[in-house]
Amino acid sequence: MIHLKPNDFFHSSNSFVTTELRTPQEDFPEHYHSFEEIIIVAKGNGLHAVNDVPTCLSKNYVCFVAQQDRHLFENVNDLFLSNVLFIRDKLEPSFSLTQFLPCTLSGSVDWFIEDEAAHRVHVIIEHLNTESHVNTLASAAMTELLFQQLVVELWRGRIVDTSSLSLSDKVTQTIMYVNKNYKEKLSIERVAEHIKVPIRTLTREFKRATGMSFNHYLHFVRAQHAMQLLLNSESSITKIAFEVGYSDSNYFSTKFKQVMKKAPRQVRPLC
Ligand code: RM4
Ligand code: NI
């Protein structure tokens, strides 16, 4: 498997943060790195699998990839993203910064940010992209400060208050809603009513954001959780089917196979 090393990306021995802007990000095979990576999606969609579990990428999605993680990009469609690469140990983040810098051992490593925060984030990334490629002490110091600012903005910009969102943020909210409530019986009609967006508008914008219809996305998220359980638990396939929101394990297997291109039994042949 591809192993990306700091020497190929960081510009000097005192550079601990650097950027790779992918406009667009092409499909990229499974790899891991001896550094950490922050992925910030600007537009488009595609699949991002981390340690065999896929996620659907869409605008304003943020994800932290740890050193030991394997990941890949697949089925990308006009996907624009920023990669911010960093070496945590060398950065020696202050105590206050570490509270905003996720660590895979605790807390979530991916979320969505609001459109407004995304604008601020992209301005910081532009500066970071310039400074991190200049090999002077002043630029190294500036890079570190911009990185700190970025980490805090990403954290502070996460969508939590959903009361006064723009249409684009409401689509993001719908994605978050499915990500959270995938075990329930969900329909786009109910969600549209709940967030007060016309069904036709939500149908169109949801597809534009994720590249999938609402129902397809729901099966995708269920398959994603099922994959996690197949890989990391002892539960039977039938139990997993129920666990992720299906009442029929054959139907679950059909949908899982459509998404993952292999049957649950091929992931975990022994149950
Ligand atoms: C690739 C992809 C990878 C990243 C490298 C630096 O295009 O975005 O995730 O590790 O660039
Ligand atoms: Ni990577």
Side-chain angles (χ1 to χ4, degrees):
M1 192 195 312
I2 306 170
H3 176 190
L4 304 180
K5 305 203 176 83
N7 279 351
D8 302 328
F9 295 97
F10 294 82
H11 306 282
S12 75
S13 52
N14 344 310
S15 121
F16 309 131
V17 177
T18 190
T19 51
E20 293 288 335
L21 307 189
R22 301 293 183 221
T23 53
Q25 170 76 57
E26 308 286 357
D27 281 2
F28 195 84
E30 186 163 56
H31 63 282
Y32 68 104
H33 4 74
S34 316
F35 47 80
E36 292 179 56
E37 179 174 338
I38 312 175
I39 294 165
I40 303 143
V41 178
K43 68 168 188 166
N45 48 64
L47 293 190
H48 179 225
V50 183
N51 303 326
D52 301 317
V53 179
T55 303
C56 172
L57 296 176
S58 57
K59 186 176 146 202
N60 296 347
Y61 175 76
V62 175
C63 175
F64 284 72
V65 180
Q67 287 213 31
Q68 67 278 8
D69 288 342
R70 295 172 281 112
H71 75 144
L72 61 84
F73 296 94
E74 210 171 69
N75 296 341
V76 300
N77 169 27
D78 196 29
L79 181 64
F80 278 38
L81 57 80
S82 307
N83 282 148
V84 178
L85 316 178
F86 66 100
I87 305 175
R88 191 183 291 246
D89 299 346
K90 299 277 180 57
L91 267 173
E92 295 177 6
S94 65
F95 175 69
S96 68
L97 192 68
T98 48
Q99 317 200 38
F100 306 111
L101 198 56
C103 160
T104 30
L105 299 175
S106 60
S108 62
V109 294
D110 64 342
W111 58 80
F112 285 96
I113 54 174
E114 290 181 12
D115 250 347
E116 278 197 17
H119 289 135
R120 290 193 294 276
V121 162
H122 291 300
V123 172
I124 298 173
I125 290 178
E126 236 170 77
H127 288 166
L128 192 57
N129 189 44
T130 310
E131 297 289 358
S132 66
H133 292 83
V134 178
N135 193 1
T136 63
L137 282 179
S139 286
M142 200 59 100
T143 297
E144 221 173 295
L145 294 172
L146 287 163
F147 178 76
Q148 294 173 2
Q149 232 180 306
L150 173 71
V151 165
V152 181
E153 284 288 14
L154 288 175
W155 179 267
R156 196 166 61 171
R158 43 205 285 150
I159 297 186
V160 272
D161 173 20
T162 55
S163 51
S164 56
L165 295 179
S166 65
L167 174 61
S168 157
D169 283 338
K170 281 188 173 176
V171 176
T172 307
Q173 187 193 0
T174 306
I175 297 170
M176 290 166 60
Y177 187 80
V178 178
N179 290 352
K180 192 164 162 223
N181 297 292
Y182 62 93
K183 295 183 185 179
E184 313 296 326
K185 270 207 172 106
L186 299 183
S187 72
I188 192 162
E189 288 79 9
R190 278 186 32 206
V191 179
E193 193 182 330
H194 179 66
I195 64 169
K196 301 193 175 54
V197 174
I199 295 172
R200 288 177 61 167
T201 310
L202 187 61
T203 304
R204 185 187 64 228
E205 295 302 317
F206 190 89
K207 175 90 200 243
R208 199 205 299 269
T210 61
M212 298 181 204
S213 71
F214 181 89
N215 281 335
H216 185 167
Y217 184 75
L218 174 59
H219 292 303
F220 174 88
V221 173
R222 287 174 172 174
Q224 173 186 14
H225 286 276
M227 180 63 111
Q228 217 138 25
L229 292 170
L230 287 165
L231 293 170
N232 305 316
S233 81
E234 309 266 281
S235 302
S236 70
I237 292 179
T238 310
K239 190 149 177 249
I240 291 175
F242 285 117
E243 187 79 4
V244 301
Y246 294 99
S247 49
D248 171 345
S249 107
N250 287 332
Y251 184 60
F252 157 67
S253 294
T254 308
K255 289 295 166 191
F256 184 92
K257 191 160 181 195
Q258 275 169 9
V259 174
M260 300 290 175
K261 311 284 177 253
K262 50 184 156 192
R265 235 160 246 297
Q266 287 171 280
V267 181
R268 256 255 305 278
L270 293 175
C271 66

